[in-house]
Amino acid sequence: HSIVSYWMSLSKLSGTRKEIISPPLSNREITSFYLIHNMRYPKFIRVLRITAAIFLVGTRTSVQSFQSSLARTNRLQSPFSTFETSSISSKRHVSSSSDAKPTITTNKSSRRPRKNNKRKRAAATEQKQSKNLDEVETWRVYGIDVDPDALGTESTADTRKEQNGAVPPERQYLTPPVVSALLSRLRIKDLLAEEGAESEEDASSSQSELKLPPELKDARVVRRSIDARKRRGKSSAEPKYAYVVDVDITKGNVRKLRFIGQPGRMERLENKENRAERAGLEGNKMLPSEKKPKIIIVGAGPAGLFCALSLASSGLFTPIVLERGQPVEARGKSIGALIHRRSIDPESNFSFGEGGAGTWSDGKLTTRIGRNSGPVRFVLETLVKYGAPQRILVEGAPHLGTDNLVRLLRNMREDLRKMGGEVHFGNRASKFHIENGIIKGVDAECTEAHERHQSTGGKFAPVHEPGTTATFMGDAVVLATGHSARDVYEKLHEEGVELEAKGFAVGFRIEHPQKIINEIQYGKDWGGRVLTRRPSTDVVNAQHFSKYATDATQQHEGTLPVASYRLATNQAFDGEINRGAYSFCMCPGGQIVPSSTEDGELCINGMSFSNRDSLWANSALVVTVNPDDPILHEYRQTHGTLAGLHFQKHMERKACEFGCGDMTVPVQRLTDFVRGELSSTVPASSYRLGTKSAPLHDIYPKPLYNSFVHAIINHFDKQMPGFLCDEALVHGVETRTSSPLRVLRDANTLKAIGVDNLFPTGEGAGFAGGIVSAAVDGLIVAEAIKTNFFENPGAALFTTKKNSVGFEY
């Protein structure tokens, strides 16, 4: 009774924070009471606790027994679980005397807060949060799969419309099936399904005004790719279009829909200002022409052109680009002469000329340095600015195609000259002026070059007199040559510029009929739905899959792009060690072309146009060669650091001999190559200068051949069943996948070690691999040059990481 009455009196005064005088109680009674008072449970539970306390006082049961019984009875954690006498005595002080009632002083910090204050704080917090509920956030949603049948026949053709219309691809790809899949993923009611399916005409007319539910402010397709992987438990592939979508949504709806950030599934994007967009290529400030430092750029490939554009747009420099080859419009004539008359121009061919080797290739824009990084995104947006199709900003594996690159490069050149830059064609760097460890300029041998000018009515006109030598003096030199400029390496070596050997890869071009790759990747049910819009190619593909026709295959309405592949292993055993083996520069719907730069050597490459509509699919198949590889031993003894360079040349000469020396390519069936047998017959090839059956298994040293065989049988054919077949044709050789040398440069200044104001960049210098990574490296070198000449050059496009010497690929 005393405890109950004391509890009632205390509960009335609990909010006053006053000192309370209690009736005389034993220590056990006081302990029991205060434990009850501190429990954070509803009132009806507290009544049970009071009853238990009365029982405890009456029976003098131990605290431990009460704890266990209480936990068993109520299935709740007992309030005694954290009880210690010392903790209570430290928080509550009990004083007593013989002639006075004991006084209990309650510490304010241990008292339970008032309910009114708690409600006030909750209301204040809610009011504060409500002010931010209307703020818009951007969330990126990954893995939105859409069945090709849902997209219909326009699933592969819609990318062509954006070239003519005003609908950007991020809106154009946001079709009703994509929106439905997005809403399903976000657990939002699908309004489109309620309204019913629109007709095709209505859907196409309302494409740009697609309705979104009120929960979403906006939505944009960031990336679209094809996913043809076989699902677990499925015997064949079920291709899906995989989308990545950015959605704008208020914070209130984020809480309502319970968005949870999961890397790779759903991520909230930070609203960071894009430095590249702020600076752009518009220029920050201008200096008078006579005060601008002159920067000589050797090479008009991706690295050289993007470096020149960045310097010129800053308004602080005058870039002078020296290109040994022809402008892109005249370069086509040199390539035509090579294809039709087998006449190779050593200065203008598939490797040399405006745009570099990538111009007459597939124009791949894939990279391993981060697709969504600021520099990569800036490169893609710049390409769109100069004429590339906008779809490259959205496609998962974007490519330009040779036909698009020709127009794009011409626009770049014209804009560069408008900004004060210079471009000189037919100028091959023959000497570097280095005085006291500082580079001063470049001598260039002038060869015949023709360029279209408005002054001549668009006709070709010579740009200078051939056979002369021009000297270009400047404040710095950017070395942006490609990996085929072997004479430049030799001149740098003679001038004492520090070079180091690096790993590279060599191999062959392997070609399959495109219909075989379609079947391997998409399966028999879907392979027949590949559409290129070229009637002759589509008919051949349809005839191949007609033998597999079933009711299920005839029900498909969606279409697919031509299939591609990527193969890799690091377990290609050569008899002693494991090597890396992989496919490289895969060209679906493409053709094989000669990339030789000198007579007596034969090297090949792959290319395709933007539509990728040929009958064949080709890819390089290469194995790795390390700088200290035993197969380079004899070359190192003779050529030292240039051993890899001379090994490549030796393999190209052997291939030329196998093909009879007239640009005819030696070939071998893949099945015969694996067995080490000469092919009695060979299938048709996309290579237009002719093929000849030859023992390609004897070209490379035995360890490399063993690695090829081991990788094909034990890895590639298992990754792609059917890859090893009689229709596959091996072409020899491909040796120029990357540079075998690197021009050493300082990790902070990006200058060549030992030579001041010499900036090596790009693929030829050993710091990139592909169009995008070379362009990014050129931009980074441009920023280093600005910092080198000016303390405050303006807004920087990008910053270089410390101790960075380039990109691995």
Side-chain angles (χ1 to χ4, degrees):
H1 175 75
S2 62
I3 292 181
V4 173
S5 61
Y6 189 77
W7 155 255
M8 295 176 64
S9 63
L10 184 62
S11 62
K12 295 179 182 179
L13 301 174
S14 60
T16 62
R17 301 284 182 183
K18 292 183 178 179
E19 183 180 284
I20 299 173
I21 307 298
S22 67
L25 295 172
S26 66
N27 289 337
R28 185 178 295 276
E29 291 169 340
I30 293 172
T31 300
S32 302
F33 176 77
Y34 275 99
L35 289 174
I36 294 168
H37 175 63
N38 286 325
M39 288 186 294
R40 308 288 182 174
Y41 294 100
K43 286 186 177 180
F44 74 94
I45 297 293
R46 291 185 182 181
V47 174
L48 296 178
R49 300 297 189 275
I50 294 171
T51 306
I54 295 172
F55 175 79
L56 172 64
V57 174
T59 60
R60 305 300 183 183
T61 310
S62 66
V63 176
Q64 291 79 5
S65 300
F66 177 67
Q67 173 186 357
S68 58
S69 62
L70 192 66
R72 288 196 304 270
T73 304
N74 299 283
R75 295 183 182 179
L76 296 171
Q77 184 180 3
S78 171
F80 295 94
S81 59
T82 58
F83 166 70
E84 291 182 6
T85 306
S86 61
S87 64
I88 292 181
S89 61
S90 64
K91 294 183 180 179
R92 298 168 175 83
H93 177 69
V94 181
S95 61
S96 61
S97 62
S98 58
D99 55 352
K101 294 182 179 180
T103 303
I104 303 175
T105 305
T106 305
N107 191 348
K108 291 184 178 182
S109 62
S110 66
R111 294 292 300 276
R112 187 177 182 183
R114 297 182 184 179
K115 291 184 178 180
N116 292 338
N117 291 344
K118 185 177 180 180
R119 290 174 181 174
K120 288 180 180 179
R121 287 197 301 269
T125 303
E126 185 176 355
Q127 183 179 5
K128 183 178 180 181
Q129 292 178 349
S130 63
K131 295 180 180 179
N132 300 329
L133 292 181
D134 293 334
E135 292 184 6
V136 178
E137 297 180 344
T138 300
W139 285 73
R140 178 159 293 174
V141 186
Y142 297 85
I144 301 172
D145 293 338
V146 180
D147 193 288
D149 286 334
L151 297 172
T153 57
E154 293 299 312
S155 55
T156 56
D158 53 2
T159 58
R160 293 170 173 77
K161 297 178 182 178
E162 56 89 11
Q163 299 181 21
N164 304 322
V167 181
E170 61 268 17
R171 304 291 182 186
Q172 184 179 356
Y173 283 133
L174 198 67
T175 57
V178 178
V179 174
S180 297
L182 172 64
L183 300 184
S184 176
R185 175 70 179 279
L186 300 179
R187 299 190 298 272
I188 299 176
K189 196 172 183 180
D190 190 353
L191 299 180
L192 298 176
E194 286 188 351
E195 295 177 359
E198 296 178 310
S199 64
E200 293 185 3
E201 295 181 0
D202 294 338
S204 60
S205 62
S206 62
Q207 181 78 11
S208 59
E209 301 178 357
L210 191 64
K211 295 181 179 179
L212 294 174
E215 289 87 349
L216 300 181
K217 294 292 185 180
D218 195 11
R220 301 168 299 281
V221 174
V222 177
R223 188 180 309 156
R224 185 184 89 151
S225 58
I226 188 75
D227 183 0
R229 293 173 295 180
K230 292 183 180 179
R231 269 60 176 180
R232 182 177 298 178
K234 300 291 184 179
S235 58
S236 61
E238 294 182 357
K240 303 286 185 182
Y241 282 99
Y243 292 80
V244 178
V245 180
D246 282 356
V247 295
D248 294 339
I249 184 171
T250 62
K251 288 185 176 181
N253 285 325
V254 167
R255 295 174 58 184
K256 178 182 176 181
L257 297 173
R258 299 181 180 179
F259 280 19
I260 300 176
Q262 297 177 323
R265 289 181 56 83
M266 183 182 294
E267 300 174 0
R268 184 172 66 88
L269 302 183
E270 299 292 338
N271 294 324
K272 295 180 179 179
E273 185 179 8
N274 190 326
R275 188 183 305 169
E277 293 179 357
R278 183 180 73 244
L281 288 177
E282 305 301 332
N284 299 310
K285 53 188 177 182
M286 298 292 293
L287 286 178
S289 300
E290 62 274 7
K291 293 185 179 181
K292 292 182 180 180
K294 294 183 178 180
I295 310 299
I296 302 170
I297 300 175
V298 182
L305 287 175
F306 273 83
C307 181
L309 286 170
S310 179
L311 294 175
S313 65
S314 69
L316 305 174
F317 299 89
T318 299
I320 303 173
V321 180
L322 306 181
E323 170 55 48
R324 69 192 299 167
Q326 298 275 2
V328 66
E329 61 269 20
R331 190 177 171 187
K333 298 177 66 176
S334 302
I335 291 174
L338 172 61
I339 296 297
H340 296 290
R341 299 194 298 272
R342 302 175 186 266
S343 173
I344 184 170
D345 184 345
E347 306 299 342
S348 181
N349 43 60
F350 280 95
S351 296
F352 294 148
E354 188 177 18
T359 304
W360 260 265
S361 183
D362 189 51
K364 281 184 175 56
L365 301 177
T366 52
T367 178
R368 299 183 187 180
I369 62 175
R371 169 68 194 276
N372 294 320
S373 64
V376 172
R377 189 72 181 179
F378 178 76
V379 169
L380 297 179
E381 291 172 352
T382 302
L383 293 174
V384 170
K385 172 185 175 181
Y386 287 112
Q390 292 187 11
R391 65 172 183 266
I392 68 173
L393 301 175
V394 176
E395 289 184 345
H399 79 110
L400 289 171
T402 298
D403 44 341
N404 287 320
L405 280 167
V406 173
R407 179 180 66 256
L408 183 151
L409 289 169
R410 188 166 53 243
N411 294 338
M412 273 189 175
R413 182 206 320 156
E414 293 175 356
D415 197 29
L416 180 59
R417 285 174 171 164
K418 289 178 181 178
M419 291 187 290
E422 301 178 16
V423 184
H424 301 274
F425 296 104
N427 282 265
R428 177 171 57 85
S430 57
K431 183 181 179 181
F432 297 94
H433 293 275
I434 302 176
E435 301 176 4
N436 299 323
I438 303 175
I439 192 165
K440 299 293 187 180
V442 177
D443 283 351
E445 293 184 2
C446 300
T447 59
E448 186 176 1
H450 296 80
E451 185 177 355
R452 280 185 174 142
H453 291 281
Q454 295 181 353
S455 59
T456 60
K459 297 181 180 180
F460 286 104
V463 296
H464 53 242
E465 184 179 353
T468 59
T469 300
T471 300
F472 297 89
M473 304 303 290
D475 299 281
V477 174
V478 176
L479 189 65
T481 59
H483 53 62
S484 293
R486 293 167 175 168
D487 55 333
V488 175
Y489 292 126
E490 294 173 350
K491 289 181 176 61
L492 291 173
H493 191 58
E494 294 173 359
E495 296 286 349
V497 178
E498 290 195 39
L499 308 175
E500 72 171 357
K502 60 180 285 290
F504 59 100
V506 294
F508 305 93
R509 273 272 152 185
I510 184 168
E511 186 173 71
H512 293 76
Q514 183 63 58
K515 59 186 180 183
I516 299 295
I517 302 301
N518 293 341
E519 179 179 345
I520 294 174
Q521 297 295 76
Y522 294 147
K524 298 176 181 178
D525 291 345
W526 276 100
R529 298 303 300 172
V530 171
L531 191 66
T532 66
R533 299 292 194 240
R534 184 177 183 179
S536 58
T537 301
D538 292 337
V539 167
V540 171
N541 190 69
Q543 290 175 349
H544 173 76
F545 286 94
S546 61
K547 57 186 176 183
Y548 306 128
T550 62
D551 293 339
T553 59
Q554 293 176 356
Q555 291 176 358
H556 290 311
E557 297 180 357
T559 58
L560 299 171
V562 289
S564 61
Y565 62 84
R566 184 174 61 184
L567 301 168
T569 180
N570 58 0
Q571 301 292 323
F573 190 61
D574 69 354
E576 294 184 2
I577 61 172
N578 285 320
R579 296 177 181 270
Y582 56 94
S583 60
F584 176 80
C585 188
M586 197 274 160
C587 300
Q591 57 185 295
I592 297 176
V593 297
S595 57
S596 305
T597 54
E598 295 182 17
D599 290 326
E601 297 176 356
L602 180 59
C603 181
I604 56 176
N605 193 15
M607 66 160 285
S608 60
F609 292 100
S610 58
N611 290 337
R612 290 177 164 175
D613 54 5
S614 85
L615 296 173
W616 292 276
N618 70 80
S619 174
L621 211 62
V622 296
V623 296
T624 57
V625 179
N626 297 320
D628 57 349
D629 205 298
I631 67 173
L632 298 178
H633 178 68
E634 60 178 301
Y635 299 92
R636 281 194 296 269
Q637 288 183 331
T638 307
H639 305 287
T641 306
L642 305 181
L645 197 71
H646 288 272
F647 172 78
Q648 290 178 332
K649 296 176 70 173
H650 185 202
M651 296 302 105
E652 293 173 10
R653 293 193 191 101
K654 290 180 67 175
C656 186
E657 294 172 1
F658 277 36
C660 297
D662 60 350
M663 304 300 292
T664 300
V665 164
V667 296
Q668 190 176 14
R669 290 183 185 268
L670 183 59
T671 50
D672 293 330
F673 175 81
V674 169
R675 291 192 295 262
E677 301 175 356
L678 183 67
S679 299
S680 57
T681 60
V682 294
S685 169
S686 66
Y687 186 77
R688 297 174 61 183
L689 276 71
T691 61
K692 177 187 176 182
S693 179
L696 292 180
H697 53 274
D698 289 336
I699 282 189
Y700 288 111
K702 195 67 173 178
L704 298 187
Y705 170 73
N706 292 339
S707 294
F708 279 117
V709 174
H710 189 272
I712 292 169
I713 296 177
N714 296 287
H715 298 282
F716 297 161
D717 195 51
K718 291 182 179 179
Q719 296 175 22
M720 288 180 59
F723 182 83
L724 177 58
C725 61
D726 285 337
E727 291 87 352
L729 191 62
V730 182
H731 299 63
V733 292
E734 175 145 351
T735 58
R736 305 184 187 184
T737 59
S738 62
S739 171
L741 294 167
R742 176 180 286 123
V743 184
L744 295 179
R745 70 185 186 189
D746 183 83
N748 295 315
T749 65
L750 303 189
K751 297 179 182 179
I753 294 178
V755 181
D756 195 16
N757 291 338
L758 176 62
F759 295 85
T761 183
E763 192 167 347
F767 298 101
I771 294 175
V772 173
S773 61
V776 169
D777 197 56
L779 289 170
I780 291 177
V781 166
E783 296 302 321
I785 293 174
K786 296 174 188 178
T787 304
N788 183 67
F789 281 89
F790 297 97
E791 293 183 359
N792 185 19
L797 290 173
F798 315 108
T799 56
T800 58
K801 296 181 179 180
K802 290 186 177 181
N803 301 325
S804 173
V805 293
F807 298 105
E808 297 295 335
Y809 55 91

